[in-house]
Amino acid sequence: MTQPLLEIKGLSKRFGGFVALDGIDLEVAPGERLGLIGPNGSGKSTLVNCICGTLQNEAGSVRFEGRTIDGLPANRRTHLGLARSFQLPRPFVSLTLIDNLRIPLIYTVAPRAGMLARTTRQMDERCMELLAMVGLDSRARRWPRDLTQVEMRKLELARAMAAEPKLLIADESMAGLSHSEVEDIIALLLRLNGQGITIILIEHIMRAVMSFSQRIAVLVSGRKIADGKRDAVVNNPEVVSAYLGQ
Amino acid sequence: MRAATFVFIALVVGAIVFALSLLARNEYVLFAGFVVLQYIVLATAWNILGGYCGYVNFGTAAFFAMGAYSTVALHKLGANPGRYLAGTFAEALIPLFPLSIPVLVVIGGLVSGLVGFGMGYLTLRLRGVFFAIATLALAVVLQTLIINWDFVGGSRGAYVIRPDSIALGPVSLSYIEYLYLVMLSLAVLALCVARQIERSRLGFGFATIRDDELAAEASGVPTLRLKLIATALSGALMGMAGAPLPYYIGYVEPAAAFGLPYAVNSIAMPMIGGTTSWVGPLIGAILLGTLQQIATVTISSVVNLLIVGVLLVAFVIIAPKGIVGLLQDRWRARLQP
């Protein structure tokens, strides 16, 4: 059996008396497309933060490529191949778009390859390639404040991609986007998955989750209540009850 | 512009400034110029942490004073080495005294750099206003330690008698000319360091910390390590600026060395000039430092902080990004279709 790329066992996280995550178990295979859904406050973003090292879990463990990564700072996890996009875009506002993408190249890709830094030309070429992938190449020397919301989300994905991840976690990358913009992002994510990148998609837009995911996991009140193939999950009575009420 | 070209131009400009200052044949120009140059170093040093990384340091005076007091301590040690040093190791050190100002500057930088590193290690998990308060607390703690350290004069202060002149090879300079040259060299060094950081991967890393630390970590930036580098480097430059102070004023006491003007000016100057570039602190320090020196001789030194306050309020309203930011925004607006 293939070793899971990401393996979470008994993960728990509390904020004071509030239990945000309660013994989560989750496995993600290499190359898989996993949809992670759940109502607001179900613990999706907390789970992402625990996986990526923004928050430290209190119990349980996170393993990436068979290696326990609990306690590692977020930047070390990025070096290992974990990348994320944020629910609300968080661009580096004082840097141009091309410089935004340069950061993961300087601090993640180059050290990983054992180089102090790629040459400026090599970096520029790679940045332009990534910007072209999300359709922002013509605005490479502009600042994030010149972008629309959808462009900002695309920049966010491109920056995550610049770190050359093995696992990409897209946290509500489509929130607030129009129908065609959602299609754009799905097409982009499918293209990335086609390049061998494992993707966890956290989303409220069910159409997007259904068309993208091979497998869906459902969180409710910090617990995982379902995990399996799309149709089985959406017809699961507990999931229906959590989303639509009794 | 390549780094080597910039360093060359900075050295040439520095040499011209020094030559023009000597041509003025007025010692006051050197005294006043020393203070302005000192503020260029302090403002540039503050900006490495405050401007590039976005971490506001209210403890500039502490780093500055540590540099000054390391000079006082070493000066006292050097005045009577046999009294304080004993043993074979100590005897080997005795011929090194009295230490020259450049050596004292390096030692002052090392001491303050270490203090900066320690402060960074203890406080950099704090952010925003909490970090700023912690730096203020550091200044209070260090001042209390110095007040209670009798070797460097404690609360009564310490005198440092400087020679009248010094021979640099075939050239003989008055001591104030020499101190002015040292501070001018430090200003050139600080500007070259700041400019080099700005255009390096370190500078990119600092900018991401300023913009969004969470996103920086997610992009692989080792934020904690970079912040430690920034606090150590910023502290070291501040300490270097403080090291010649005892020779400049001749009498150092804690209230003066840890004085409010150092902390306030080193924040106000980059804010007025602009915090995102090495040019900002330079412009701010020249503008504010010169204004203060003019006010000192025409009105009173008491109005110095008033000038800072008024200008700071004016700039926060009119140009929150400082003079450089204002010009950059206009330039960008002109470029956009």
Side-chain angles (χ1 to χ4, degrees):
Chain A
M1 190 185 153
T2 327
Q3 187 192 35
L5 182 68
L6 180 73
E7 195 180 0
I8 297 167
K9 277 197 178 143
L11 193 79
S12 295
K13 177 74 189 171
R14 283 170 175 273
F15 295 107
F18 177 73
V19 181
L21 294 174
D22 186 9
I24 301 286
D25 292 320
L26 187 71
E27 284 188 3
V28 185
E32 195 177 9
R33 299 195 302 270
L34 174 77
L36 185 63
I37 60 170
N40 282 336
S42 59
K44 302 183 298 294
S45 292
T46 305
L47 179 61
V48 173
N49 286 334
C50 286
I51 294 171
C52 295
T54 309
L55 292 174
Q56 296 296 332
N57 44 299
E58 282 141 18
S61 69
V62 181
R63 290 168 73 82
F64 186 72
E65 290 189 304
R67 176 187 169 175
T68 303
I69 56 172
D70 300 317
L72 276 188
N75 71 79
R76 290 290 307 136
R77 298 187 194 205
T78 309
H79 285 214
L80 292 176
L82 257 164
R84 70 177 294 184
S85 67
F86 289 91
Q87 197 172 341
L88 294 172
R90 307 180 78 127
F92 302 123
V93 290
S94 67
L95 304 180
T96 58
L97 303 197
I98 193 165
D99 286 342
N100 262 269
L101 301 200
R102 219 188 285 270
I103 299 298
L105 289 178
I106 294 173
Y107 281 99
T108 302
V109 179
R112 198 190 282 151
M115 293 182 284
L116 191 62
R118 288 184 177 189
T119 65
T120 310
R121 213 176 74 181
Q122 274 177 319
M123 270 201 279
D124 280 357
E125 281 170 7
R126 178 66 183 143
C127 292
M128 289 309 290
E129 212 175 279
L130 287 162
L131 284 172
M133 186 182 78
V134 294
L136 291 173
D137 47 335
S138 61
R139 319 179 79 177
R141 308 279 168 191
R142 289 294 179 85
W143 280 266
R145 64 165 179 262
D146 300 331
L147 301 183
T148 63
Q149 190 64 12
V150 66
E151 286 170 336
M152 207 92 94
R153 288 185 187 280
K154 285 179 174 174
L155 174 68
E156 189 82 11
L157 281 173
R159 194 178 61 193
M161 287 310 303
E164 296 181 6
K166 294 169 187 160
L167 172 64
L168 171 66
I169 304 177
D171 192 359
E172 298 195 24
S173 310
M174 301 169 213
L177 303 188
S178 69
H179 185 93
S180 64
E181 287 166 346
V182 167
E183 295 299 327
D184 276 0
I185 301 279
I186 292 174
L188 175 63
L189 290 175
L190 285 171
R191 221 163 47 234
L192 296 177
N193 182 245
Q195 292 167 12
I197 297 165
T198 308
I199 297 177
I200 298 179
L201 175 70
I202 298 171
E203 201 49 75
H204 280 300
I205 303 171
M206 287 309 287
R207 180 173 52 83
V209 179
M210 297 303 282
S211 66
F212 176 79
S213 314
Q214 295 165 323
R215 203 179 108 214
I216 295 175
V218 187
L219 292 189
V220 173
S221 303
R223 286 186 310 112
K224 189 176 81 173
I225 61 163
D227 185 352
K229 296 282 180 197
R230 286 179 300 195
D231 295 338
V233 167
V234 291
N235 293 321
N236 182 320
E238 217 179 334
V239 175
V240 174
S241 152
Y243 266 85
L244 302 174
Q246 294 287 359
Chain B
M1 193 193 299
R2 294 170 70 93
T5 316
F6 181 84
V7 171
F8 177 73
I9 292 173
L11 286 172
V12 170
V13 172
I16 293 169
V17 169
F18 185 60
L20 289 175
S21 306
L22 291 186
L23 281 176
R25 294 186 179 281
N26 181 345
E27 272 211 336
Y28 180 74
V29 171
L30 300 175
F31 273 101
F34 179 92
V35 177
V36 176
L37 290 167
Q38 177 182 278
Y39 277 125
I40 290 175
V41 182
L42 282 179
T44 304
W46 182 91
N47 201 44
I48 289 174
L49 183 64
Y52 295 172
C53 296
Y55 274 72
V56 174
N57 175 7
F58 280 126
T60 302
F63 295 102
F64 179 77
M66 290 316 286
Y69 271 100
S70 58
T71 296
V72 171
L74 289 165
H75 178 79
K76 190 168 177 186
L77 205 61
N80 196 352
R83 184 176 165 190
Y84 304 107
L85 300 173
T88 324
F89 176 68
E91 279 168 20
L93 286 178
I94 287 171
L96 299 176
F97 288 103
L99 297 170
S100 66
I101 298 270
V103 174
L104 290 169
V105 163
V106 171
I107 294 172
L110 284 174
V111 169
S112 293
L114 274 173
V115 172
F117 186 84
M119 182 195 76
Y121 190 76
L122 293 173
T123 61
L124 279 174
R125 288 179 202 282
L126 303 175
R127 288 180 191 173
V129 69
F130 300 104
F131 174 79
I133 291 168
T135 58
L136 197 59
L138 173 90
V140 175
V141 169
L142 289 177
Q143 186 173 359
T144 309
L145 286 175
I146 293 293
I147 285 172
N148 289 285
W149 190 19
D150 199 45
F151 182 72
V152 291
S155 58
R156 70 180 183 279
Y159 287 93
V160 172
I161 299 163
R162 63 166 183 250
D164 285 336
S165 62
I166 186 166
L168 294 177
V171 184
S172 177
L173 293 175
S174 75
Y175 219 76
I176 186 61
E177 288 169 346
Y178 176 54
L179 288 174
Y180 180 84
L181 179 63
V182 168
M183 198 47 82
L184 185 62
S185 310
L186 276 177
V188 169
L189 172 75
L191 291 172
C192 289
V193 168
R195 198 258 181 194
Q196 189 53 31
I197 287 174
E198 208 176 300
R199 281 160 170 73
S200 68
R201 60 198 293 267
L202 195 62
F204 272 119
F206 286 172
T208 64
I209 291 172
R210 179 186 61 220
D211 287 350
D212 193 322
E213 214 165 318
L214 207 60
E217 275 280 326
S219 295
V221 180
T223 55
L224 200 60
R225 196 192 314 159
L226 259 54
K227 285 185 287 185
L228 283 175
I229 293 173
T231 47
L233 203 56
S234 174
L237 284 171
M238 288 171 181
M240 288 167 104
L245 180 81
Y247 285 91
Y248 174 72
I249 52 175
Y251 168 67
V252 187
E253 50 109 8
F258 286 86
L260 183 66
Y262 296 119
V264 174
N265 281 330
S266 63
I267 296 173
M269 287 165 177
M271 299 285 255
I272 288 169
T275 55
T276 54
S277 157
W278 63 271
V279 191
L282 174 67
I283 293 173
I286 291 174
L287 183 74
L288 214 54
T290 310
L291 261 178
Q292 286 181 345
Q293 289 305 310
I294 293 169
T296 301
V297 288
T298 53
I299 312 169
S300 158
S301 60
V302 178
V303 296
N304 283 351
L305 279 180
L306 180 73
I307 292 172
V308 176
V310 171
L311 276 178
L312 203 52
V313 171
F315 270 86
V316 165
I317 295 167
I318 301 162
K321 291 181 190 169
I323 294 168
V324 173
L326 188 73
L327 296 174
Q328 275 176 341
D329 280 351
R330 289 201 173 164
W331 178 68
R332 280 172 194 166
R334 192 177 288 182
L335 282 184
Q336 283 188 1

